[in-house]
């Protein structure tokens, strides 16, 4: 036995997160007029990511009224989960089959969902449309699930490959899982229409597939109800479903790690078993989720005045994104498809070399994939951005 070789030396080096590296390069660039469309957070027209007024108000209440920091439990803040259930689903008739819990962000919810699936069916296959949020791949592979890719989006035509999605569903086997983003698709900004959601939900139900939905941007696309429509349709149709939800964008809580995992089971008895497994997995992962963000969201959703304030602020953000989309399309017809896409992200048909030239020669910073965060632009910088893109494409 060689005692000079450490166990950890068996590990292979991992590539650093490309977006974090981009943040570093942007910070080190002193050219005036540099443009950041790389980082995936909402920004105002002045380039900041402020705390929502409604969140500040809820935090003030918390500071005054919170009387203990004692443990809550692996399910987290139950009032938060109940209020969020109403926000996401409205009044539904599957309430007795629906369980779930608070999680550390949408990422925590996805992790728990993947672990629940692996527990029920080790090595389960999961259909993932490409491109998708890169962390989906990391979460699913490190949980031991088998990823089956199909093409979701064609960058050249800026269209959804709906036929590829339907064929993937047709080729899937009973018990396979289907990962779908609820709205404001990251990175491509193209979502299913209501008619497409109905077809997909019906096909998943017929073929015995388990939907795993990811809703991370409710309210940033077309409004709170419209953005939850696909999720509601799927949950209405199928026997079993999972939903990973993030409050980190639509409440601006990013670092507070606020989210939830919802699970729909076939009947109330099965729901209680699902819940017991979720609680066990949460306990084994983080024991209990962080409280602060969820406590603030609960206060907002339980107060008519704070809810109104939050909705108004969220609508302003949504409208600003729509304005930037329209502004780009007005500036150059090449951006016309952006007009009807949803949420903060769109994906340009650019190769990594063009992305590099944009960074080096035009001080435009974007992900190597060509994903752009439109909230990184203003009316003025949109014109510079459009000119830079025209120069490289
Ligand atoms: C599609 C998608 N799902 C989930 C998440 C996770 O969000 P959170 O920051 O709450 O973990 C993100 C965050 O960028 C996302 O884009």
């Amino acid at each position: 036995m060689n005692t000079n070789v450490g166990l950890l030396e068996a590990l292979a080096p991992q590539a650093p997160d490309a977006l974090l590296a981009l943040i570093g390069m942007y910070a080190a660039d002193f050219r005036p007029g540099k443009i950041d469309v790389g980082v995936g957070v909402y920004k105002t027209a002045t380039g900041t990511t402020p705390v929502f007024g409604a969140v500040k108000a809820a935090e003030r209440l918390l500071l005054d009224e919170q009387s203990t920091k004692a443990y809550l439990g692996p399910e987290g803040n139950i009032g938060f989960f109940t209020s969020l259930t109403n926000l996401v689903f409205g009044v539904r008739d599957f309430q007795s089959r629906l369980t779930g819990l608070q999680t550390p962000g949408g990422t925590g919810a996805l992790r728990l969902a993947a672990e629940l699936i692996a527990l029920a069916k080790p090595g389960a296959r999961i259909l993932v449309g490409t491109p998708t949020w890169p962390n989906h791949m990391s979460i699913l592979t490190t949980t031991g699930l088998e990823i089956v890719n199909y093409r979701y989006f064609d960058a050249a035509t800026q269209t959804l490959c709906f036929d590829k999605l339907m064929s993937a569903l047709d080729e899937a086997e009973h018990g396979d899982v289907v990962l779908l983003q609820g709205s404001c698709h990251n990175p491509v900004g193209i979502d299913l229409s209501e008619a497409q959601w109905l077809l997909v939900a019906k096909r998943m139900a017929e073929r015995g597939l388990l939907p795993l939905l990811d809703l991370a941007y409710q309210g940033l696309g077309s409004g709170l109800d419209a953005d939850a429509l696909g999720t509601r349709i799927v949950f209405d149709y199928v026997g079993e479903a999972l939903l990973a939800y993030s409050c980190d964008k639509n409440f601006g809580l990013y670092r507070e790690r606020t989210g939830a995992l919802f699970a729909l089971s076939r009947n109330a008895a099965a729901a209680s078993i699902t819940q017991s497994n979720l609680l066990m997995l949460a306990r084994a992962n983080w024991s209990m989720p962080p409280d602060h963000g969820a406590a603030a969201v609960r206060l907002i959703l339980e107060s008519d005045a704070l809810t109104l304030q939050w909705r108004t602020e969220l609508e302003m953000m949504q409208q600003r994104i729509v304005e930037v989309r329209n502004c780009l399309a007005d500036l150059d017809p090449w951006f016309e498809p952006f007009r009807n896409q949803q949420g903060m992200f769109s994906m340009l048909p650019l190769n990594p070399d063009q992305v590099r030239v944009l960074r080096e020669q035009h001080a435009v910073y974007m992900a190597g994939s060509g994903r752009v965060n439109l909230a990184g632009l203003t009316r003025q910088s949109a014109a510079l951005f459009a000119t830079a893109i025209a120069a490289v494409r």
Side-chain angles (χ1 to χ4, degrees), residues 293-305:
V297 170
R298 175 189 183 162
L299 284 176
I300 292 170
L301 295 179
E302 286 182 353
S303 148
D304 288 343

Side-chain angles (χ1 to χ4, degrees), residues 271-328:
S272 129
I273 295 174
T274 304
Q275 183 69 358
S276 70
N277 280 275
L278 288 177
L279 295 175
M280 180 277 288
L281 288 173
R283 187 90 171 111
N285 272 289
W286 44 76
S287 184
M288 296 162 204
D291 181 61
H292 184 78
V297 170
R298 175 189 183 162
L299 284 176
I300 292 170
L301 295 179
E302 286 182 353
S303 148
D304 288 343
L306 287 181
T307 297
L308 181 64
Q309 187 181 354
W310 166 67
R311 279 179 174 255
T312 309
E313 291 176 90
L314 184 62
E315 269 164 34
M316 279 167 59
M317 289 165 65
Q318 183 239 338
Q319 277 160 24
R320 183 176 128 61
I321 296 166
V322 171
E323 270 164 29
V324 173
R325 288 187 172 282
N326 287 333
C327 174
L328 276 178

Side-chain angles (χ1 to χ4, degrees), residues 40 104-110 132-133 135-136 139 181 183-187 214-217 244-249 254-255 257-259 345 371:
T107 307
L110 284 163
T132 192
W133 184 48
N135 209 19
H136 280 150
I139 293 167
Q181 294 191 33
S183 65
C184 306
H185 188 283
N186 180 6
D214 178 5
L215 188 53
Y217 300 92
Y245 188 95
S246 173
C247 297
D248 290 325
K249 327 289 164 146
Y254 309 91
R255 66 173 73 161
R257 315 305 305 128
T258 311
F345 305 113
R371 184 194 82 165

Side-chain angles (χ1 to χ4, degrees), residues 126-164:
I126 178 158
L127 275 58
V128 181
T130 57
T132 192
W133 184 48
N135 209 19
H136 280 150
M137 299 300 190
S138 312
I139 293 167
L140 299 173
T141 45
T142 54
T143 327
L145 302 185
E146 185 192 331
I147 297 178
V148 179
N149 281 139
Y150 65 90
R151 184 131 168 245
Y152 179 84
F153 168 75
D154 181 63
T157 56
Q158 291 285 309
T159 50
L160 166 68
C161 305
F162 188 65
D163 52 336
K164 298 246 174 4

